[in-house]
Amino acid sequence: MGKIEVNKKQKKESLLNTAFSLFTSKGFQKTSISDIVDNAGVAKGTFYLYFSDKYDLRNKLIAHKAGVLFLDAYHALLAEQVSGIEEQIIYITDYIIQRLIQDKSLLGFLSKHLSWGIFRSNLIAGTDNSEQNVYLIFMDLLHASGYEFKDPEIMIYMLVELVSGAIYNPLLYEQPAPIDEIRPYLHDSIRHMIRLHIQTAEATQVSGAAASDSNVE
């Protein structure tokens, strides 16, 4: 990466980091673009090189924070050499939960703003760095499992909704129970969700036979 590219990346990261600090301290509505650029030490024109408006910045910030969190969990997973797709997804989930326990500001920010639409359009679609494409990493995990999955993107959606919906109230308010009491149920639900989407050999054979019959007709 050349000096110009490094400089651009640093400015964008400065804007993202400054926005996160202001959004979590002042609140999104009370933070202006001027506040962000002044605290980041860049010109307002620089802001518009990367973001169309404050809402675009917020959405990309959510994707950035969620992506970094997932990547940290993924790298920890590789270091631990966890095997089996169910245990890998559970490990990533537990890692994310532990990080959110340690960082309440990040938990509060993501719990208020993370949605499937933002996740899909800004995170799964990829980031500036192809190495950080969470969707491709997730698909690599599925492929390495040795299983065939029915509608893998739907499974990703269901897992994101399941985990995000299940953890925030226990983490923020300990309702309906503290996270440690919820965790075993969450693990079981993750396993069930994955098994539900595994394409069995029998189902594959039936599907193949049906396709052959259709071709004959």
Side-chain angles (χ1 to χ4, degrees):
M1 185 181 293
K3 186 175 180 180
I4 293 176
E5 286 75 19
V6 170
N7 188 45
K8 287 181 177 178
K9 183 179 179 181
Q10 288 175 342
K11 287 182 178 179
K12 184 175 181 180
E13 288 180 351
S14 178
L15 286 166
L16 288 168
N17 292 333
T18 301
F20 178 74
S21 176
L22 291 172
F23 289 166
T24 53
S25 60
K26 292 181 60 175
F28 176 75
Q29 296 298 337
K30 293 182 179 179
T31 300
S32 66
I33 292 175
S34 295
D35 293 332
I36 295 168
V37 297
D38 288 346
N39 281 272
V42 301
K44 185 171 285 190
T46 302
F47 177 95
Y48 290 105
L49 291 176
Y50 306 108
F51 313 106
S52 58
D53 53 32
K54 190 174 69 168
Y55 294 91
D56 182 45
L57 167 59
R58 181 194 62 186
N59 292 347
K60 286 185 169 63
L61 178 59
I62 293 165
H64 174 72
K65 288 292 185 180
V68 168
L69 189 56
F70 179 89
L71 285 169
D72 288 347
Y74 174 68
H75 293 143
L77 171 73
L78 296 180
E80 292 293 328
Q81 298 183 330
V82 178
S83 61
I85 187 63
E86 293 177 13
E87 297 310 311
Q88 288 173 338
I89 300 302
I90 287 171
Y91 180 91
I92 289 172
T93 299
D94 282 345
Y95 181 96
I96 290 171
I97 288 172
Q98 191 57 40
R99 282 282 297 274
L100 292 175
I101 288 172
Q102 296 168 353
D103 191 342
K104 295 297 188 192
S105 60
L106 180 59
L107 170 62
F109 179 68
L110 292 180
S111 67
K112 289 178 182 177
H113 302 297
L114 186 60
S115 69
W116 174 249
I118 292 173
F119 187 91
R120 180 65 178 83
S121 62
N122 289 286
L123 190 55
I124 287 181
T127 63
D128 292 339
N129 184 347
S130 60
E131 183 182 349
Q132 294 188 350
N133 191 313
V134 171
Y135 179 75
L136 293 181
I137 290 173
F138 193 89
M139 293 301 290
D140 285 345
L141 285 176
L142 298 187
H143 179 73
S145 72
Y147 294 110
E148 293 292 330
F149 293 89
K150 298 176 288 185
D151 301 314
E153 186 166 320
I154 291 177
M155 185 173 76
I156 296 173
Y157 162 73
M158 296 298 291
L159 287 170
V160 169
E161 290 294 311
L162 168 66
V163 174
S164 62
I167 68 174
Y168 288 126
N169 279 318
L171 284 174
L172 284 169
Y173 310 113
E174 297 192 347
Q175 293 294 331
I179 190 63
D180 286 340
E181 293 182 28
I182 296 293
R183 199 188 305 255
Y185 297 99
L186 180 59
H187 290 178
D188 287 345
S189 296
I190 290 171
R191 291 189 180 97
H192 176 74
M193 187 73 67
I194 292 171
R195 292 170 190 174
L196 185 67
H197 283 82
I198 290 177
Q199 184 78 50
T200 64
E202 180 181 0
T204 302
Q205 291 170 0
V206 170
S207 176
S212 297
D213 292 342
S214 175
N215 291 333
V216 170
E217 293 174 0

